[in-house]
Amino acid sequence: MAEAFNDLILPAEKAERYALLAEEIAAVLDGEPNLTARMATVASMLAASFDHFFWTGFYVVDPDKPRELVVGPYQGTLGCLRIAFGRGVCGAAAESGQTQVVEDVHAFPGHIACDARSASEIVVPVFDGAGRLIGVLDVDSDQKSAFDEMDASWLQTIVHKAFSIARTA
Ligand code: SME
């Protein structure tokens, strides 16, 4: 098996890549108010940023079923369409409002296996400017233990800037 990404990259280099990515995402989104366009752009730019990310995208809170997530813009293989709050990693993030870092998805109770390659994942809740949960960002890796506190912190910064900070478009 290929060496794990976190064993091959220095923390400073990873931080630098995230910093640049966060800047690029903010620049591309500047002035664009449409939520779908913003989510699609974040999913695409994340997918292109690190080779071991094989699924990047959003599950959004269904306005008609407030305790259910429905798939939104994503990059990757087919994802399941709906996830109830409390189910799997995405459902846990939506239920708790807390970022979930899962080193081994097979050890996570109730993990929903959309793709057999999934080994580890991170799910970050997404809030709007009023602090309401609007969905979650899900990033999956084919490597075990691919995500740590640095990924959590940068992905939270990226979604905060993209969806929570009031825009003047
Ligand atoms: N991993 C998620 C399911 C969605 S996909 O992986 C695209 C989960 O357990 O919440």
Side-chain angles (χ1 to χ4, degrees):
M1 192 180 154
E3 283 229 59
F5 176 76
N6 277 329
D7 297 334
L8 296 174
I9 191 164
L10 291 170
E13 196 188 323
K14 184 163 126 175
E16 210 173 294
R17 278 172 68 172
Y18 266 120
L20 187 62
L21 175 66
E23 248 177 62
E24 287 171 352
I25 290 176
V28 175
L29 294 184
D30 190 35
E32 175 51 66
N34 182 274
L35 188 60
T36 304
R38 295 175 76 83
M39 286 186 171
T41 300
V42 173
S44 173
M45 292 181 77
L46 281 176
S49 63
F50 293 102
D51 284 347
H52 65 99
F53 289 1
F54 77 87
W55 201 98
T56 58
F58 292 87
Y59 280 90
V60 296
V61 178
D62 185 337
D64 299 325
K65 293 182 179 172
R67 288 191 44 84
E68 199 164 296
L69 298 166
V70 60
V71 78
Y74 69 92
Q75 297 268 322
T77 49
L78 183 65
C80 54
L81 296 192
R82 289 180 177 271
I83 299 175
F85 274 39
R87 273 202 68 213
V89 188
C90 293
E95 183 88 285
S96 64
Q98 303 287 322
T99 295
Q100 309 288 309
V101 177
V102 180
E103 293 193 358
D104 176 2
V105 295
H106 303 294
F108 190 92
H111 169 252
I112 305 159
C114 293
D115 188 311
R117 286 176 301 163
S118 184
S120 63
E121 71 176 275
I122 183 167
V123 181
V124 177
V126 180
F127 300 97
D128 67 12
R132 280 182 300 255
L133 182 80
I134 55 172
V136 299
L137 168 68
D138 179 0
V139 181
D140 291 17
S141 172
D142 56 5
Q143 297 182 358
K144 270 196 189 161
S145 306
F147 303 104
D148 56 21
E149 282 310 306
M150 190 193 295
D151 298 271
S153 159
W154 275 107
L155 292 173
Q156 283 163 356
T157 299
I158 287 169
V159 299
H160 182 71
K161 280 190 185 162
F163 305 106
S164 301
I165 293 175
R167 298 181 301 271
T168 53

